[in-house]
Amino acid sequence: MPTPAPKLDARGLPEGYALRPEWEVTPREVEAMRRDGAVLLDCRTPREYEVARIDGATLVPLQQVAERVEELVDQLREERVVVYCHHGMRSLQMTAI
């Protein structure tokens, strides 16, 4: 029997989720940002990206950040960017970098 989906609050987050607005955005905020042209950076591994990805996202595995930093800095200057992964730990690391 499939696990029921969690109840979501008005922001699109599971009830009781402790959002850290200085580092995180809600799913509904990301949706609005995408409509306004934000770039999505997926910092997972290529295998994870192949299994489940968001259409239009750019894969930049966390392990490649050092070698792609110039490319990313140029992109960050020009566009709003959302970094994501599976659970949020790698995307927080990448954002901090």
Side-chain angles (χ1 to χ4, degrees), residues 61-79:
L62 182 60
Q63 300 85 349
Q64 294 179 6
V65 170
E67 62 198 56
R68 295 179 69 180
V69 71
E70 287 184 33
E71 165 195 345
L72 295 172
V73 168
D74 289 342
Q75 192 169 32
L76 289 170
R77 277 194 199 116
E78 302 297 323
E79 304 177 62

Side-chain angles (χ1 to χ4, degrees), residues 27-40 80 82:
R28 295 199 174 120
E29 289 172 326
V30 171
E31 182 180 11
M33 292 165 70
R34 285 189 76 190
R35 284 193 303 267
D36 290 339
V39 173
L40 296 181
R80 196 162 188 193
V82 176

Side-chain angles (χ1 to χ4, degrees), residues 76-96:
L76 289 170
R77 277 194 199 116
E78 302 297 323
E79 304 177 62
R80 196 162 188 193
V81 176
V82 176
V83 181
Y84 73 94
C85 62
H86 185 77
H87 289 285
M89 297 308 297
R90 288 174 284 184
S91 59
L92 284 172
Q93 288 176 327
M94 188 165 171
T95 299

